[in-house]
Amino acid sequence: MEEDGAVTVYSGSAITDTKKNTFSIKVGIAQMLRGGAIAEVTTVNQAKIAESAGVCCLVVSEPKGPGISRMPDPSLIKEIKQAVALPVMAKARVGHFVEAQILEAIGVDYIDESEALALADEDHFVNKHNFRAPFVCGCRDLGEALRRVREGAAMVRTQGDLAGTGSIVDTVHNVRKVMGDIRILSNMDDDEVFTFSKKIGAPYDIVAQTKQMGRLPVVHFAAGGIVTPADAAFMMQLGCDGVFIGSDIFNCSDPYKKVRAIVQAVRNYNDPHILAAASSGLEEAMGGLNLNENRVERFVSDETY
């Protein structure tokens, strides 16, 4: 269970108090993924392609289909773990601690309590302090991120598009919102932090730690609509530690080339020459429509002259 006071330790590449606080160890394990791309895979072949392309971790999920989306088949996870040498992450439904227990029992390296799956519990999240495996959780704003950290999340994933449209607009909005709130918090007087904590609905001690550090106290990735090298570099330049790549990236004639290009973009996100080379020769990233009519109409109606 969590210790009294601030529960997170994030100081560059070092972790402290590993004997006293096991959560520090999980945060340190998650830090190993910084500066990398995590690919979602649904088959062993996709896992091998992603590994050869240089991703830092794999997320195993069930192929998309009608009906309730749940934890992936444990036999699929075992097959992928045997086929690759990368860390393997798997998704569990929000609040479904038994799915998390199963995933930990079969030896996954990370557990993603994913809102992309069907909800199992509308009111409660998994108490992640009860597990040895580090947890990843999604968020849309700073308050949500810090509440997940209090519950034991060792990595936060700012989530955008969940529909697979290829649109990055929601991801950008949410990342900017998280980063903007952190900048506001960093410039506050200490006396103002109490009110800010209440406003965003987050524990004061973790909010104070975030203010002191000037960033989230755990690894921060972005997910949703990241389908080109430019998208990945965009997220990195906004301040994220890495990106998630959806399984739709494999629906093309040369998935290795596309995944490799995104990996290169994450590693060299501040070099426009390398980004230009990585972006060259790729086919259209997504064939679907990026913006629906409602969103386009909203932008037009908001214009003022």
Side-chain angles (χ1 to χ4, degrees), residues 191-223:
D191 294 342
E192 298 174 311
V193 177
F194 292 97
T195 301
F196 185 77
S197 300
K198 185 182 296 185
K199 178 181 176 181
I200 66 173
Y204 168 78
D205 57 328
I206 301 182
V207 174
Q209 186 180 13
T210 303
K211 168 179 164 54
Q212 182 182 18
M213 296 170 61
R215 58 154 294 142
L216 285 178
V218 297
V219 179
H220 179 204
F221 273 52

Side-chain angles (χ1 to χ4, degrees), residues 39 123 206 253 299:
D123 300 315
I206 301 182
S253 59
F299 278 120

Side-chain angles (χ1 to χ4, degrees), residues 16-287:
T16 59
D17 260 349
T18 54
K19 293 183 179 179
K20 178 181 179 182
N21 188 359
T22 57
F23 184 70
S24 300
I25 299 175
K26 291 189 279 189
V27 172
I29 294 172
Q31 285 184 38
M32 296 169 62
L33 303 180
R34 291 178 68 192
I38 300 175
E40 181 180 2
V41 299
T42 59
T43 67
V44 174
N45 184 54
Q46 290 179 358
K48 291 179 178 179
I49 292 172
E51 181 182 36
S52 63
V55 302
C56 65
C57 182
L58 302 172
V59 186
V60 181
S61 64
E62 289 281 3
K64 294 178 181 178
I68 299 296
S69 53
R70 300 181 175 86
M71 171 192 75
D73 190 323
S75 63
L76 173 62
I77 299 172
K78 291 178 180 178
E79 285 182 38
I80 291 176
K81 281 181 64 66
Q82 292 174 353
V84 300
L86 291 175
V88 172
M89 183 184 300
K91 295 181 179 182
R93 283 177 282 175
V94 170
H96 205 314
F97 56 82
V98 175
E99 284 189 348
Q101 291 169 358
I102 293 171
L103 294 176
E104 185 170 73
I106 62 176
V108 298
D109 300 286
Y110 302 89
I111 299 172
D112 185 349
E113 188 175 11
S114 177
E115 66 278 12
L117 305 182
L119 294 180
D121 192 327
E122 293 182 342
D123 300 315
H124 305 95
F125 283 77
V126 173
N127 181 355
K128 291 159 272 290
H129 295 287
N130 290 336
F131 294 82
R132 295 185 305 277
F135 268 74
V136 181
C137 286
C139 76
R140 293 160 296 180
D141 54 52
L142 181 60
E144 195 171 6
L146 298 184
R147 289 193 295 275
R148 301 294 83 81
V149 172
R150 167 56 81 205
E151 294 161 0
M155 177 193 291
V156 167
R157 164 180 36 77
T158 297
Q159 184 68 51
D161 173 47
L162 289 172
T165 64
S167 173
I168 200 173
V169 64
D170 289 333
T171 311
V172 173
H173 175 269
N174 294 339
V175 169
R176 283 193 180 276
K177 182 172 176 56
V178 170
M179 297 302 185
D181 284 345
I182 291 175
R183 285 193 295 271
I184 292 171
L185 173 63
S186 298
N187 291 317
M188 283 183 177
D189 292 333
D190 291 340
D191 294 342
E192 298 174 311
V193 177
F194 292 97
T195 301
F196 185 77
S197 300
K198 185 182 296 185
K199 178 181 176 181
I200 66 173
Y204 168 78
D205 57 328
I206 301 182
V207 174
Q209 186 180 13
T210 303
K211 168 179 164 54
Q212 182 182 18
M213 296 170 61
R215 58 154 294 142
L216 285 178
V218 297
V219 179
H220 179 204
F221 273 52
I226 300 170
V227 294
T228 69
D231 292 340
F234 190 11
M235 294 296 99
M236 299 299 290
Q237 290 193 29
L238 286 178
C240 294
D241 296 315
V243 301
F244 280 78
I245 309 171
S247 59
D248 291 335
I249 203 77
F250 295 97
N251 298 332
C252 65
S253 59
D254 191 353
Y256 169 83
K257 184 176 182 180
K258 190 172 291 185
V259 176
R260 181 63 181 171
I262 292 177
V263 169
Q264 289 295 325
V266 171
R267 294 175 180 174
N268 304 279
Y269 62 90
N270 272 326
D271 191 327
H273 298 289
I274 295 179
L275 295 177
S279 301
S280 299
L282 299 178
E283 65 180 53
E284 185 64 29
M286 288 293 289

